Structure formats: structure tokens, C-alpha cells
Amino acid sequence: MRNFAKGVLLGAAAIVGGTYHSVACTGISLTAADGSYIQSRTIEWAKGWLKSEYVVIPRGEKLQSFTPTGANGLRFEARYGVVGLSVVEREFIAEGINEKGLSAGLFFFPRYGSYKPYDIAHNDKTLADLQVVQWMLSQFATIDEVKAAVDSVDIVGLDYSSVVHWRIGEPSGKEVVMEIVEGRVNFYDNTIGVLTNAPGFEWHLANMCNYVNLHAGSANDNSLGNVILKPLGGSSAMLGLPGDFTPPSRFVRAAFFRNTAPIRATGFEAVLESFHLLNNFDVPIAMENPTERDLPSATQWTSSIDLSNLKVYYKTAYNNSIRCIDLKDIDFAKVLYQSHPLDTQQQQPVEHIEVN
């Protein structure tokens, strides 16, 4: 573990702390006709370039958690190889998968989540919330294993305002949401296949009932007195679908898009479908930070992970070309612990077409 620096905590607090108005992550899951299971998501930050890297963790790598007082928390050794996409520091994996197909990601959860108070006397079992994904993926092969082990650690925020919740999935299509409220860990089966931010997952499910009248396709003609009302265009049965970027609205919109999307034949086709769906959640930079001039979008990157075929796909605000990391190409017994920027160049490639 590298020497602990105060800047790590300050950077983490800035990303997931008091500036929560700039964070708007949206997650969906899809299942292909061939049984391939896909988990996809966006990650947002509107205050400038967010340092993001892809990370490779080999089997046997010795890891240690940060705490609010230093790099002196829980020590653990990787049982499984991991590929993840990190923010701020390579230890802070926001979305990833291990060689057994277990996938996990963190989503900001302000004001509604709350951890146990940090106790410096328990540093040997203290796990930073931003390293929970790293810990899960390096240690466990199934959701049940995560559930059995989570009470053995003390999950804390590196800053008082740092609170997240997690999405965890298996290749079988089983998916859960993990939330910590008043120090208590709660798991919820995620059969709707969507996750955003606060409030809590159960609240979002209840809120869906406010949109019980919406469905795909066009609304029927209707009479109002002697006037016949006709739809003005396609998808009129979705009138009332919220279009803003608050977490409740994104949850509702993502749930309808995800659950009305066609079932694709293969995992790769489902990955492409997930990118198309999440294009609807690309946050224009001016919506969050009108003074920002250099950032193309508040949506810094979008990922899609094929849990069945062990592949990580991603694209960024700077380069919308989809890139892929295939875990089956990696020898996790020999590869080095490493991380690299998501973009080698922050520039969108453009194909030039010659016309004769």
C-alpha cells in the first residue's frame, strides 16, 4: 500500500461528499436470450475531470483499507483476480468484476445512509466504504458469501459526508442492493434491475406506484365531452415519465426503459443495448456546472459488464468508442497489480470517410 496522504481523503470527500449535487449515477441490468447477464451504469462528476482508471488485481495481492486516520485499516489478501474501474485512487473501485463472475458497484447515497461511528480501536477490521467493492470482489465468489462476511467488518466513510450504497450481482442474474442505515446492513433483492441514488431502494420501489398508468406504446383515443383527444405522436402512453436528472426521476425512467427494452440474443448485443439505454442518462455539463468549459459532459464514463462472459466494456465523455477488457485473457496468477487511465488520449476519434 502506498503511503497514506491527506489528499486521498480530501479527494474522496470531494467526489462523494458535500458536492453531491454533481453526482448522478444510474445503473441498469439486462439478461440476453442466451442467458448472459449484464450490469451497466453511468458515473457523473461535474466539477472537472474525474481521475478514473481501470485496475487489475492479481490473486494473492496483499491489500489494506484506508481509515479516516490513515492507511491503517483492514488487511486482506486477494483470493480472486479482479478488474475494476476506479475513481480518485485505484483502491476506490466504483464498478468491477472478479474471475468468478461476481460484480459490484457503489452509488452515492447522501443523507439517507449512515454507518457506525468510526472507532480507531477497531482499525484492524475497519473498511472504507469506497473500498468495499475492492474487498468484495477480491474475497468472494457469491452474494451469499458477501452477506455472511459483511458483519465481520466495520464499514466507515473517509469523510462524515461520504455515504454510498452498493449493487452486487452474479452471473445467474441474481442481484441485490446493500444499504447501511444507522449502522445496520440491509440487503434487498433487485428484481426491477435499476439503481440510482437517494432515497433508499425501498422508497424508490414504492414511488414507482405513482406511475402505474404508464406503459410502452401509444395511448388510446379518449373523449372529453364532445371532443375526441388523439395522441400527437408515438410513445404517448409514456406521457408523464419524468425527464429531470434527480435520483427518483432517473430511477423511474431507467426502470421503464430497462423493462420495456427488447431481449437481445447474446451478451454482446445486450451490452450494446445497455449503452443505448444509458445514453438517455448522459447529463449535459450545463445542467450541473454552467461555469465548466472543458468537460464534454457531467457523465464521465459509462460501463457495461458481462458477468457471464467475464468482460468489462466502457466508454468515456472524451471518447465514446467502446473498449473491452476480457478477464479470460488475464493470468491472475502472474499479472501485476496495476492501474491505467481510461483514456490514453482525451480525444474523440473520428472516422474520415472518403467520397470518390
Side-chain angles (χ1 to χ4, degrees):
M1 175 78 73
R2 292 163 292 171
N3 292 333
F4 175 80
K6 185 177 181 180
V8 172
L9 296 188
L10 294 177
I15 296 302
V16 296
T19 52
Y20 62 86
H21 295 295
S22 298
V23 182
C25 304
T26 302
I28 61 172
S29 61
L30 297 174
T31 302
D34 67 0
S36 299
Y37 178 63
I38 313 299
Q39 288 190 168
S40 308
R41 60 94 50 84
T42 68
I43 197 159
E44 277 73 25
W45 173 241
K47 299 298 184 180
W49 174 69
L50 175 63
K51 179 187 174 184
S52 298
E53 300 181 319
Y54 67 85
V55 182
V56 180
I57 303 175
R59 288 185 226 116
E61 185 70 26
K62 291 180 171 55
L63 304 164
Q64 186 171 20
S65 178
F66 294 119
T67 75
T69 57
N72 52 7
L74 177 74
R75 295 177 182 270
F76 51 101
E77 182 175 319
R79 298 175 184 170
Y80 306 109
V82 176
V83 171
L85 306 180
S86 69
V87 293
V88 183
E89 297 292 326
R90 68 178 182 178
E91 291 84 2
F92 302 161
I93 296 177
E95 192 74 26
I97 185 174
N98 68 20
E99 59 185 312
K100 293 296 184 180
L102 186 73
S103 183
L106 62 84
F107 292 71
F108 190 47
F109 189 42
R111 294 168 43 204
Y112 290 86
S114 50
Y115 311 129
K116 291 180 181 178
Y118 168 60
D119 186 345
I120 195 171
H122 295 167
N123 270 353
D124 61 341
K125 65 173 187 174
T126 294
L127 179 63
D129 57 352
L130 300 182
Q131 288 178 259
V132 168
V133 173
Q134 181 195 54
W135 174 70
M136 287 180 182
L137 298 182
S138 67
Q139 299 299 295
F140 308 114
T142 67
I143 291 171
D144 286 342
E145 289 179 6
V146 173
K147 288 181 175 181
V150 72
D151 287 334
S152 68
V153 297
D154 289 347
I155 297 174
V156 303
L158 296 181
D159 178 82
Y160 75 93
S161 58
S162 168
V163 184
V164 299
H165 56 178
W166 297 265
R167 174 184 65 176
I168 315 165
E170 296 178 354
S172 65
K174 181 179 180 181
E175 179 185 331
V176 299
V177 173
M178 186 178 91
E179 296 180 344
I180 302 177
V181 179
E182 296 182 351
R184 180 178 178 180
V185 180
N186 303 294
F187 287 93
Y188 305 101
D189 290 333
N190 190 357
T191 56
I192 201 168
V194 171
L195 186 62
T196 58
N197 312 105
F201 184 68
E202 287 191 311
W203 183 95
H204 284 293
L205 292 181
N207 183 52
M208 289 294 298
C209 295
N210 287 317
Y211 302 90
V212 66
N213 58 301
L214 302 186
H215 59 87
S218 296
N220 296 322
D221 294 355
N222 193 16
S223 60
L224 187 63
N226 295 325
V227 178
I228 302 300
L229 305 178
K230 295 178 177 292
L232 292 175
S235 302
S236 56
M238 283 283 191
L239 280 169
L241 188 71
D244 62 84
F245 291 103
T246 61
S249 294
R250 285 184 288 107
F251 190 100
V252 172
R253 199 157 70 252
F256 275 96
F257 289 167
R258 181 263 186 189
N259 286 284
T260 57
I263 297 175
R264 299 302 181 181
T266 66
F268 180 65
E269 290 177 82
V271 165
L272 297 181
E273 179 73 23
S274 73
F275 279 115
H276 284 300
L277 293 175
L278 289 177
N279 283 341
N280 292 278
F281 300 88
D282 195 345
V283 181
I285 186 63
M287 294 294 97
E288 286 294 339
N289 188 0
T291 64
E292 173 62 53
R293 293 291 180 265
D294 298 325
L295 196 64
S297 170
T299 302
Q300 299 247 344
W301 50 264
T302 303
S303 67
S304 188
I305 296 182
D306 186 336
L307 283 69
S308 302
N309 296 294
L310 302 180
K311 293 182 179 180
V312 176
Y313 299 85
Y314 72 86
K315 65 178 184 176
T316 72
Y318 296 97
N319 183 349
N320 271 269
S321 301
I322 298 172
R323 283 144 281 178
C324 177
I325 303 170
D326 191 336
L327 273 70
K328 296 188 292 296
D329 292 339
I330 302 172
D331 186 343
F332 287 105
K334 295 180 179 179
V335 72
L336 297 177
Y337 184 22
Q338 58 191 278
S339 61
H340 306 278
L342 295 188
D343 292 311
T344 54
Q345 289 185 315
Q346 291 181 335
Q347 182 176 356
Q348 177 64 50
V350 176
E351 180 183 1
H352 178 70
I353 298 176
E354 293 188 5
V355 179
N356 296 320

